[in-house]
Amino acid sequence: DAGVTQSPTHLIKTRGQQVTLRCSPISGHKSVSWYQQVLGQGPQFIFQYYEKEERGRGNFPDRFSARQFPNYSSELNVNALLLGDSALYLCASSLDFGFRGNQPQHFGDGTRLSIL
Amino acid sequence: DAKTTQPTSMDCAEGRAANLPCNHSTISGNEYVYWYRQIHSQGPQYIIHGLKNNETNEMASLIITEDRKSSTLILPHATLRDTAVYYCIVRVNFGNEKLTFGTGTRLTIIP
């Protein structure tokens, strides 16, 4: 079975531009989370979505936004890119949410975003 | 979420058991211990998780102390492919399901 897939794998943008990253969860998984990993650090939580609704948000500016589609895939959008947004952006999916939780999150291999 | 403390780095000889410790002294009753690893240039890989009982799967064993203030991840027969950064994470079992990663332990398997 396919794991979490993310596209594109690499992306180069310039300051001030906007970017959209895409994620397809594992088949049957309804929850998607996004993380940012700066070089040398552990991943930092950005958003979690379940059933197309935002269920959690990390400490990121409003330039970051996301959405989840009826097929449970998700997009992460970042506006007005800054040099500091250069990072590996990871998507993770899990089976469910809430009291049916305690489901491990499974990660894709990420999108490497470089800002020039 | 409770904070975890892990050694920065460890070495282990190939074929030996790798024992990775983690302290989580402020863990609360509804928080699980999760372990992930990240091999260079890949996303984190789920290994195992547990609440208070010891757990074992095809990848590893998780030993949690009776007071739940610390745990040990055991890779029974380490191979070169186990070289990675290992993250110990404490997470509530429902509600806010974010994973809070620290800096992890860089495990190097030596031939």
Side-chain angles (χ1 to χ4, degrees):
Chain A
D1 288 342
V4 176
T5 58
Q6 294 187 242
S7 63
T9 55
H10 295 82
L11 200 53
I12 299 174
K13 292 284 188 178
T14 58
R15 283 177 295 175
Q17 285 189 311
Q18 175 266 342
V19 68
T20 298
L21 311 180
R22 296 176 174 81
C23 171
S24 293
I26 293 171
S27 177
H29 284 196
K30 300 178 181 178
S31 178
V32 170
S33 298
W34 288 94
Y35 293 79
Q36 179 197 65
Q37 186 172 25
V38 174
L39 196 62
Q41 299 181 16
Q44 299 294 309
F45 173 75
I46 310 175
F47 288 111
Q48 181 176 28
Y49 275 77
Y50 175 72
E51 293 287 8
K52 298 179 291 182
E53 291 188 10
E54 182 183 303
R55 300 292 182 146
R57 172 185 285 256
N59 187 24
F60 281 81
D62 291 344
R63 299 185 295 107
F64 289 76
S65 63
R67 55 179 175 169
Q68 186 178 33
F69 299 98
N71 66 354
Y72 303 111
S73 67
S74 178
E75 287 182 351
L76 175 70
N77 295 283
V78 186
N79 294 321
L81 288 166
L82 303 174
L83 292 177
D85 295 331
S86 293
L88 180 67
Y89 288 85
L90 295 159
C91 175
S93 73
S94 57
L95 193 60
D96 221 314
F97 180 82
F99 71 91
R100 293 181 297 276
N102 187 28
Q103 302 289 334
Q105 295 182 14
H106 297 274
F107 287 79
D109 285 336
T111 294
R112 173 76 59 189
L113 176 63
S114 299
I115 310 302
L116 303 179
Chain B
D1 293 339
K3 180 179 172 59
T4 62
T5 303
Q6 299 178 253
T8 302
S9 64
M10 294 180 62
D11 293 337
C12 179
E14 187 178 16
R16 303 296 294 270
N19 296 278
L20 292 90
C22 179
N23 286 320
H24 31 79
S25 59
T26 59
I27 193 171
S28 57
N30 64 348
E31 289 180 315
Y32 280 70
V33 179
Y34 279 76
W35 283 84
Y36 283 79
R37 72 181 182 184
Q38 189 170 24
I39 297 169
H40 183 61
S41 298
Q42 297 181 18
Q45 178 188 22
Y46 166 76
I47 302 173
I48 199 167
H49 73 282
L51 182 63
K52 54 184 179 180
N53 298 319
N54 298 337
E55 302 287 346
T56 296
N57 63 20
E58 65 280 4
M59 289 183 66
S61 295
L62 174 60
I63 308 298
I64 302 174
T65 58
E66 191 170 346
D67 63 7
R68 302 186 70 237
K69 293 185 177 181
S70 66
S71 61
T72 301
L73 178 75
I74 301 173
L75 309 178
H77 304 287
T79 71
L80 297 179
R81 288 176 295 181
D82 292 322
T83 292
V85 177
Y86 286 76
Y87 296 99
C88 169
I89 300 166
V90 173
R91 199 196 84 175
V92 296
N93 64 336
F94 64 90
N96 184 358
E97 299 189 350
K98 70 176 183 178
L99 296 171
T100 302
F101 289 81
T103 53
T105 296
R106 182 171 299 277
L107 175 67
T108 302
I109 306 302
I110 300 172

